Amino acid sequence: MNVQLEDCHSKRRAILNSTLTLIKDYGFHGTPMSQIAKHAHVAAGTIYHYFDSKETLIVELYVETKEKLAEAILMNYDETKTYKERFFQFMINQYNFYINNPSALVFLEQYLNSPFAKNYPEKDSPLFLEKVIPFFVFGIENGVFKNIDSRLLGPTIKGTLVAAANFRLAEQMIYSEEDIIEVVQIIWDGIKKQ
Amino acid sequence: MNVQLEDCHSKRRAILNSTLTLIKDYGFHGTPMSQIAKHAHVAAGTIYHYFDSKETLIVELYVETKEKLAEAILMNYDETKTYKERFFQFMINQYNFYINNPSALVFLEQYLNSPFAKNYPEKDSPLFLEKVIPFFVFGIENGVFKNIDSRLLGPTIKGTLVAAANFRLAEQMIYSEEDIIEVVQIIWDGIKKQ
Amino acid sequence: MNVQLEDCHSKRRAILNSTLTLIKDYGFHGTPMSQIAKHAHVAAGTIYHYFDSKETLIVELYVETKEKLAEAILMNYDETKTYKERFFQFMINQYNFYINNPSALVFLEQYLNSPFAKNYPEKDSPLFLEKVIPFFVFGIENGVFKNIDSRLLGPTIKGTLVAAANFRLAEQMIYSEEDIIEVVQIIWDGIKKQ
Amino acid sequence: MNVQLEDCHSKRRAILNSTLTLIKDYGFHGTPMSQIAKHAHVAAGTIYHYFDSKETLIVELYVETKEKLAEAILMNYDETKTYKERFFQFMINQYNFYINNPSALVFLEQYLNSPFAKNYPEKDSPLFLEKVIPFFVFGIENGVFKNIDSRLLGPTIKGTLVAAANFRLAEQMIYSEEDIIEVVQIIWDGIKKQ
DNA sequence: AATGAATGAGTCTTCATTCAT
DNA sequence: GATGAATGAAGACTCATTCAT
C-alpha cells in the first residue's frame, strides 16, 4: 500500500525534517544529534540505523533537499512554451519553493558555503544536474544569453533569487506574483543577449 | 617608530589572520582554538587576552574583514566621475578585493549564512554602513536604478560578484580587466532604469 | 528483586559516594570531575547523565547527606519518653552518625562554610527541616530551653557536637557511650532553662 | 617614621585586605589572583613579590587574621579580675571582633574547614597559641571547668560564639551588650564545674 | 619594585557514537 | 528495528605563574 510505503521509513523522514528545522535556527554545529533525536521523537541510536554518521545525515539531507528544489523548479514544465517563458516559469517556481520552504533555503545556503560542499562535490541532486543545469546550458549555447560560462550564470541567477527570497521572508509579508516577476525581470535583463 | 606601531598588536593580528585562513579551509567548528593558537604561534590562553570567546573572535573578525572590504571598495573614489563610472569602480574594486583575498571571500560568505549573522545583526563595518550602502541608496532614490528596495539591490549585486569571483578563483586563472567589466556589465544591465 | 532495585541507580550512587570521599580529602576544587569519574569507575561523561554540573552534583550531595543525617538523628524516636530523654537520643544519634561517617562530617562542615550554602539557601534536607528543626523549636516555645532564638540554638548545639566528633575522630580512638553523654550534658547544661 | 613604616608595605596590606574581602564573597577557588590584583590596584605580578604562591598568600592571610583575632581577644586584659570576669571579657572581645570584621569571621571558618588547615597544621597565630589557648588550659587544670579535654573545650566555645556572631550578622541588627553577655552565659553554664 | 602580556597545564563540559537489552 | 545509558575523545576556557621591560 501507499500508506505503508510512505510510513515504512517515517522515522527516517522525521529525522531529516528535524535536522532541517534545527539547522535553520542553530546551524550545523549548534545542532547535536541528541537534539535531532528529541525533536524527531526517536532515540539517539535510531538515527544510526538510517545514517552512518552526522556528516552522512547532513550530506543526504542536502541531496534530498536539492532534489525537492529541482522537482519544484521543473513543475508545469511545458516544452511548447518559448525559452523565455520557460525561464520565467523556472525562476518563479524556484522563488516559490524558497518562500514555502524557508528552512530549505537557509539550509542550502549554509551547506553550500560550508566545508561540506567542498568535501563532497560529487554529492548532489541527480534531477538538478540532469534537467535544471542543462536547461541553462542550452540557453547559453544557443545564444539566448550573453556568452558567459554556465558555471558563472548559475550562481548569478541564484544569488539574486536567494537574496530576494530572503528579503521577502525577513519582511514577513506576502508579495504578489508581479513582485516575483519583477525580480526575475532584473535577472533576465542582466543576462539576456544584447 | 613605525615598526613599533605596527608590532604593537602583532599577536592580535596574527590570531585574526590565522583564524581567517583556517576557517576558509575547515569552517567555524572545524577550527579549534588550539589550532588557531598553533597557527598564530601563540599560546591558547593568549587568544583570550584579545578576545572574550571564540564567538567574539569570529564576530570581530567579520567586522574587521568587512571593514577592509569597504576600504577596498572605496579606493580611488572620485566625486567628479559620473554615477555609472563610480558604480563600475566600486564593482571592480570589490571584485579585485575578493580575488586578492580569497580567504576573506569564503569567510564572509560563510559568516553571512551562519547563525552568527542572525545573532549579531548590529555587528557590522561602520565604513560599509556609512559609505557603501548610502552610495547605492542614492542610486535608487535618484532614479538611476529600477525602483527596487535597497536591501534587495545589495544582495543581488553581491551575489553575482561573489559568484564570479568564486568561479575565477576555482579556475585559478588570472583574468583581464575586461573580464571583470563584463561581469559588472551584467549586473548594471539588470538593475539600471529602463 | 531487591538487588535490582538497589542497583537501578548504582552509578549515580557510586558517583555521589566517590565525590563525598574525595572532597573529604581534597576539598571541592581539589577534586576534579575526572578524578570522581575514575574513583567511581565510570566515564567522565556519565556524571553528566545524572547531574547537570559539578555545582549541581555537590549541592545534591549536600541535600542527600543531610537527609541521611536527619534519618540517623530520628532513629528510635520514642514519643513516650520525656523531652530531655529524646533530646539526649537525638544528640547521641547525631554524634554516632558523625563517628560512623567521618566523610559526611567533613563534607557538611565544608559545604556550610562555602559560598554554596549562601548561593543555594533553599537547597536542604526536607526531613531535617520538617522533623529535626521543629523538635528544637518545640523545646524553646515550651520553656525547656533558655529563651534564645532557634536559629542560634541550632548552631550552638551543632558546634559542640561537631567539635567533639572531630576531636574523637582525630584521636582515632573508640570512646564509650558515657563519653558521648558527657558532651551532650555540657550542651544540655548550657541551654536548659535555669 | 611610623607612616613610612606602615606605608612601606602598603601594597602587601592591600593585597591581603582584597583577598580577605573577595574570599568572603566568592570563596577560595572563586577568587582568582587576577581579581585580587584588580581589587588591590596592583599588577598581577606584584602579588608574587610579597607571596610565593596563592597557597602561601592564603595561609599567611590566615595567620595574620588569627593574630588580629588574638590581639582583639586579649584587649583590656586585667590580671586582677577574677577568672570568670576575664573569661567573659575574652568572649565579649571575640564576639565584637567577629561583628566588626565579618570578612574575617567567614574567612577563618572557611579556612578551618578546608584542606588548608589540614595541610598546614603548624601555621597559626603565635599570640593565639601562647596567650589565648593557655588561658583556657589554666581553667581546666585548676578545676574551673568540667574535666574535659582542652582541645574539645576550644571548639565548643568557638562554635557557639561563631554561630551567634553569624546569626547576628545575618539579621543585620545591632544588639546590645546584654545580648552578647547572654550568649556567653550559655557557654559558661555549659562548661563551668558543677 | 612594579608591570601585565604571555604562557600552557588543567578544568569542566559537550557530543558523536556504540552496544547491551 | 528501537532504545538510551554509557563512553571518552576533544573542545572552549581559566588561571596560577613567569619574565622581559
Side-chain angles (χ1 to χ4, degrees):
Chain A
M1 258 129 292
N2 221 326
V3 179
Q4 193 67 11
L5 248 141
E6 300 249 316
D7 252 38
C8 95
H9 289 310
S10 70
K11 301 220 168 184
R12 187 174 183 284
R13 268 260 60 83
I15 292 163
L16 285 167
N17 289 338
S18 295
T19 306
L20 191 66
T21 302
L22 291 168
I23 283 180
K24 180 193 66 182
D25 290 335
Y26 308 111
F28 294 137
H29 124 262
T31 304
M33 294 296 259
S34 57
Q35 202 129 41
I36 294 172
K38 196 176 292 172
H39 190 276
H41 299 295
V42 299
T46 303
I47 301 178
Y48 290 86
H49 275 291
Y50 297 104
F51 306 95
D52 284 348
S53 65
K54 191 182 184 182
E55 197 137 336
T56 302
L57 165 59
I58 289 171
V59 173
E60 290 193 23
L61 178 59
Y62 168 70
V63 174
E64 297 203 9
T65 306
K66 190 84 171 279
E67 188 80 2
K68 283 185 182 171
L69 170 63
E71 285 167 9
I73 288 176
L74 294 164
M75 250 173 47
N76 302 323
Y77 186 73
D78 186 350
E79 284 261 15
T80 66
K81 295 263 176 76
T82 68
Y83 189 85
K84 184 183 173 184
E85 279 168 338
R86 281 178 287 159
F87 179 87
F88 269 69
Q89 183 72 60
F90 265 42
M91 293 294 100
I92 290 162
N93 285 343
Q94 184 174 359
Y95 183 91
N96 284 331
F97 177 80
Y98 289 147
I99 298 301
N100 296 323
N101 301 278
S103 303
L105 170 55
V106 173
F107 169 75
L108 289 173
E109 286 309 290
Q110 213 172 313
Y111 182 92
L112 291 168
N113 288 291
S114 75
F116 286 108
K118 274 153 202 160
N119 292 337
Y120 303 95
E122 78 288 0
K123 298 282 187 184
D124 217 316
S125 152
L127 197 59
F128 202 92
L129 296 175
E130 289 160 19
K131 296 282 180 185
V132 181
I133 298 289
F135 174 82
F136 293 106
V137 171
F138 176 90
I140 295 165
E141 290 176 346
N142 288 272
V144 181
F145 300 136
K146 283 172 178 158
N147 191 23
I148 49 176
D149 194 290
S150 68
R151 283 164 297 180
L152 183 53
L153 186 71
T156 299
I157 293 166
K158 196 205 66 176
T160 305
L161 258 195
V162 165
N166 269 322
F167 173 55
R168 298 281 152 108
L169 286 168
E171 297 288 299
Q172 297 181 315
M173 283 164 143
I174 295 170
Y175 286 82
S176 66
E177 182 88 349
E178 281 119 48
D179 292 320
I180 306 167
I181 291 172
E182 188 188 337
V183 171
V184 179
Q185 192 67 47
I186 292 174
I187 300 169
W188 178 258
D189 289 346
I191 60 178
K192 71 145 187 267
K193 192 148 222 163
Q194 196 180 61
Chain B
M1 259 129 291
N2 221 327
V3 180
Q4 194 69 10
L5 249 141
E6 301 247 317
D7 254 38
C8 104
H9 286 310
S10 68
K11 304 226 167 182
R12 188 174 182 284
R13 270 259 62 81
I15 291 163
L16 285 167
N17 290 338
S18 295
T19 306
L20 191 66
T21 303
L22 291 168
I23 283 180
K24 180 193 67 183
D25 290 336
Y26 308 110
F28 294 138
H29 102 267
T31 304
M33 295 298 260
S34 57
Q35 199 132 19
I36 294 172
K38 197 175 290 173
H39 190 276
H41 300 294
V42 300
T46 303
I47 301 178
Y48 291 88
H49 269 288
Y50 296 104
F51 307 95
D52 282 346
S53 65
K54 190 180 185 182
E55 197 138 334
T56 302
L57 165 59
I58 289 171
V59 173
E60 290 194 22
L61 178 58
Y62 168 71
V63 173
E64 296 203 8
T65 306
K66 189 87 171 278
E67 188 82 1
K68 283 185 181 171
L69 169 63
E71 284 167 10
I73 289 176
L74 293 165
M75 251 175 46
N76 303 323
Y77 186 74
D78 185 350
E79 285 260 14
T80 66
K81 294 262 176 77
T82 68
Y83 188 86
K84 184 183 174 184
E85 279 169 337
R86 281 178 286 159
F87 179 87
F88 269 70
Q89 183 72 59
F90 265 41
M91 292 295 102
I92 290 163
N93 285 344
Q94 183 174 2
Y95 182 90
N96 285 332
F97 177 80
Y98 288 147
I99 299 301
N100 296 325
N101 302 278
S103 303
L105 170 55
V106 173
F107 169 75
L108 288 174
E109 287 308 292
Q110 211 172 316
Y111 182 91
L112 290 169
N113 288 291
S114 75
F116 287 108
K118 275 153 202 158
N119 292 337
Y120 303 95
E122 79 288 359
K123 299 282 185 183
D124 217 314
S125 152
L127 197 58
F128 202 92
L129 297 175
E130 290 160 20
K131 296 282 180 185
V132 179
I133 298 288
F135 175 81
F136 294 105
V137 171
F138 176 91
I140 295 164
E141 291 176 346
N142 288 272
V144 181
F145 300 134
K146 283 172 179 157
N147 192 24
I148 50 176
D149 194 290
S150 67
R151 282 163 297 180
L152 183 53
L153 185 72
T156 298
I157 293 166
K158 197 204 66 176
T160 305
L161 258 195
V162 164
N166 268 323
F167 173 55
R168 299 279 152 106
L169 286 167
E171 297 288 298
Q172 296 184 315
M173 282 164 138
I174 295 170
Y175 285 81
S176 67
E177 181 87 349
E178 280 122 45
D179 292 318
I180 306 167
I181 290 172
E182 188 188 337
V183 172
V184 180
Q185 192 67 48
I186 292 174
I187 300 169
W188 179 257
D189 289 346
I191 60 177
K192 72 146 188 267
K193 194 147 217 165
Q194 190 183 64
Chain C
M1 259 132 292
N2 221 326
V3 179
Q4 194 67 11
L5 250 140
E6 300 246 318
D7 253 37
C8 102
H9 285 310
S10 68
K11 303 225 168 184
R12 187 175 183 282
R13 271 258 62 81
I15 291 162
L16 285 167
N17 290 337
S18 294
T19 306
L20 191 66
T21 302
L22 291 167
I23 283 180
K24 180 193 66 183
D25 290 336
Y26 307 110
F28 294 138
H29 102 268
T31 304
M33 294 298 259
S34 57
Q35 199 132 19
I36 294 172
K38 197 176 291 174
H39 190 275
H41 300 294
V42 299
T46 303
I47 302 179
Y48 291 86
H49 268 289
Y50 296 103
F51 306 96
D52 283 346
S53 65
K54 191 180 184 182
E55 196 137 336
T56 302
L57 166 58
I58 289 171
V59 173
E60 289 193 24
L61 178 58
Y62 168 71
V63 173
E64 296 203 10
T65 307
K66 189 87 171 277
E67 188 82 0
K68 282 185 183 172
L69 168 63
E71 285 167 10
I73 288 176
L74 293 165
M75 252 172 47
N76 303 323
Y77 186 73
D78 186 350
E79 285 260 14
T80 66
K81 295 262 175 79
T82 67
Y83 188 86
K84 184 184 174 184
E85 279 168 337
R86 280 178 286 160
F87 179 87
F88 270 69
Q89 183 71 62
F90 265 41
M91 293 294 102
I92 290 162
N93 285 344
Q94 184 174 0
Y95 182 91
N96 284 332
F97 177 80
Y98 289 146
I99 299 300
N100 296 325
N101 302 277
S103 304
L105 170 55
V106 173
F107 170 76
L108 288 173
E109 287 308 293
Q110 211 173 314
Y111 182 92
L112 290 168
N113 288 291
S114 74
F116 287 108
K118 276 154 203 159
N119 292 338
Y120 303 97
E122 79 288 359
K123 298 282 185 182
D124 217 315
S125 152
L127 197 58
F128 202 92
L129 296 175
E130 290 161 19
K131 295 283 179 184
V132 179
I133 298 289
F135 175 80
F136 294 105
V137 171
F138 176 90
I140 295 164
E141 290 177 346
N142 288 272
V144 182
F145 301 135
K146 284 171 177 157
N147 193 23
I148 50 176
D149 195 291
S150 67
R151 283 163 298 181
L152 183 53
L153 186 72
T156 299
I157 293 166
K158 198 205 66 177
T160 305
L161 257 195
V162 165
N166 269 323
F167 173 55
R168 298 281 152 106
L169 286 167
E171 296 289 299
Q172 297 183 315
M173 284 162 137
I174 295 170
Y175 285 81
S176 67
E177 181 89 348
E178 279 122 47
D179 292 320
I180 306 166
I181 291 172
E182 188 189 335
V183 171
V184 180
Q185 192 67 48
I186 292 175
I187 299 168
W188 178 258
D189 289 347
I191 60 176
K192 73 147 187 266
K193 194 147 217 166
Q194 192 184 65
Chain D
M1 258 129 292
N2 221 327
V3 179
Q4 193 67 12
L5 248 142
E6 300 248 318
D7 251 39
C8 94
H9 289 310
S10 70
K11 301 220 169 186
R12 187 175 183 283
R13 269 260 60 82
I15 291 162
L16 285 167
N17 289 339
S18 294
T19 306
L20 191 66
T21 301
L22 290 168
I23 284 179
K24 180 193 67 181
D25 290 336
Y26 307 110
F28 293 136
H29 124 261
T31 304
M33 294 296 260
S34 57
Q35 202 129 41
I36 294 172
K38 196 176 292 172
H39 190 276
H41 299 296
V42 299
T46 304
I47 302 178
Y48 290 86
H49 275 291
Y50 296 104
F51 306 95
D52 284 346
S53 66
K54 190 182 185 182
E55 197 138 336
T56 303
L57 165 60
I58 289 171
V59 173
E60 290 193 25
L61 177 59
Y62 168 70
V63 174
E64 296 203 11
T65 307
K66 190 85 171 278
E67 188 81 0
K68 283 185 181 171
L69 169 63
E71 284 167 9
I73 288 175
L74 294 164
M75 251 173 47
N76 302 324
Y77 187 72
D78 186 349
E79 284 261 15
T80 65
K81 294 264 175 79
T82 68
Y83 188 86
K84 184 184 172 183
E85 280 169 337
R86 280 178 286 160
F87 179 87
F88 269 70
Q89 183 72 60
F90 265 42
M91 294 294 100
I92 290 163
N93 285 343
Q94 183 174 0
Y95 182 91
N96 284 331
F97 176 80
Y98 289 146
I99 298 301
N100 295 325
N101 302 277
S103 303
L105 169 56
V106 173
F107 170 76
L108 289 173
E109 286 309 290
Q110 214 173 312
Y111 183 92
L112 290 169
N113 288 292
S114 75
F116 287 108
K118 275 153 203 160
N119 292 337
Y120 303 95
E122 79 287 359
K123 299 282 187 183
D124 217 316
S125 153
L127 196 60
F128 202 91
L129 296 175
E130 289 160 19
K131 296 283 180 184
V132 180
I133 297 289
F135 175 81
F136 293 105
V137 171
F138 177 90
I140 295 164
E141 289 175 349
N142 288 271
V144 182
F145 300 136
K146 283 172 179 159
N147 191 24
I148 51 175
D149 194 290
S150 68
R151 283 164 299 182
L152 184 52
L153 186 72
T156 299
I157 293 166
K158 196 205 68 176
T160 305
L161 258 195
V162 165
N166 269 322
F167 175 54
R168 299 280 152 107
L169 286 168
E171 297 288 299
Q172 297 183 312
M173 283 164 142
I174 295 169
Y175 285 82
S176 66
E177 182 88 347
E178 279 120 49
D179 292 319
I180 306 167
I181 289 171
E182 188 187 338
V183 172
V184 180
Q185 192 68 46
I186 292 174
I187 300 168
W188 179 257
D189 289 347
I191 59 177
K192 73 146 188 266
K193 192 150 221 162
Q194 196 182 60

